[in-house]
Amino acid sequence: MKIAIVNGANINMLGKREASEYGLDSYDDLKKMIDEYCKKENIQYEMYQSNSEGEIINYLQSLYEEVDGVVINPAGYTHYSVAILDALKILRCIKVEVHISDIEKREDYRKISITKDGCHKQIKGKGFLGYIEGIEYIKRCVYEKNKN
């Protein structure tokens, strides 16, 4: 199984921004946690982060028919990027939107997710463990698909 983990704007600044929302762990801590989990579960993965909407779209397009699933945290692009939504809809794989904080308990403008409509599932408010839950969801979906 091969998956991609895609992170949007400012996720690279974890540990330095809004600790009350995102905690004190860094982006490197997130990468390490995902790496350890994927190695243990024998899952091939790529991890990608960009602060540029266009680069995220280009990356998503490059995944077409290349991965079994995508875990995406579009970050600030969640709330307005129809272009990222469209790129997600193009992909035929399982897609999970993840948010470290619970966007529904934050500012009004953060409660709206445009991009979730391009995903099979949304996970919010579970910290870094939301990424693992997203990977596990993809794993179960791929297993069920291959079983049939």
Side-chain angles (χ1 to χ4, degrees):
M1 184 173 83
K2 184 176 181 182
I3 64 168
I5 295 124
V6 182
N7 287 292
N10 298 309
I11 298 297
N12 59 312
M13 299 303 287
L14 289 171
K16 299 174 182 158
R17 60 180 291 225
E18 299 172 280
S20 62
E21 294 294 341
Y22 304 108
L24 298 173
D25 291 332
S26 70
Y27 186 59
D28 284 340
D29 294 329
L30 174 63
K31 291 191 297 188
K32 181 180 177 190
M33 182 192 75
I34 290 170
D35 184 66
E36 288 172 358
Y37 178 82
C38 287
K39 281 181 180 173
K40 182 182 77 154
E41 296 295 318
N42 199 30
I43 298 170
Q44 290 182 316
Y45 78 99
E46 296 178 0
M47 194 151 172
Y48 179 82
Q49 187 278 327
S50 178
N51 294 316
S52 169
E53 182 179 26
E55 289 177 9
I56 293 168
I57 293 163
N58 289 339
Y59 181 73
L60 288 170
Q61 290 177 356
S62 78
L63 299 175
Y64 187 76
E65 295 187 351
E66 296 295 320
V67 295
D68 298 299
V70 172
V71 174
I72 184 167
N73 182 343
Y77 295 123
T78 300
H79 316 293
Y80 73 86
S81 182
V82 174
I84 290 176
L85 166 63
D86 289 345
L88 286 166
K89 286 182 173 181
I90 292 167
L91 299 176
R92 296 180 180 169
C93 63
I94 305 300
K95 296 154 287 189
V96 179
E97 180 178 283
V98 170
H99 298 285
I100 295 166
S101 67
D102 187 344
I103 60 174
E104 291 189 15
K105 294 182 178 175
R106 297 195 57 195
E107 305 91 340
D108 286 343
Y109 63 88
R110 291 191 195 270
K111 295 177 182 178
I112 297 166
S113 172
I114 300 280
T115 52
K116 78 174 180 181
D117 292 340
C119 296
H120 296 85
K121 181 178 180 71
Q122 183 188 61
I123 300 166
K124 55 191 178 291
K126 296 189 177 183
F128 287 5
L129 292 178
Y131 286 85
I132 302 302
E133 185 176 329
I135 295 167
E136 290 174 346
Y137 177 80
I138 292 169
K139 192 168 79 169
R140 281 191 308 274
C141 289
V142 169
Y143 173 78
E144 287 299 317
K145 179 182 168 188
N146 291 336
K147 190 170 95 172
N148 294 327

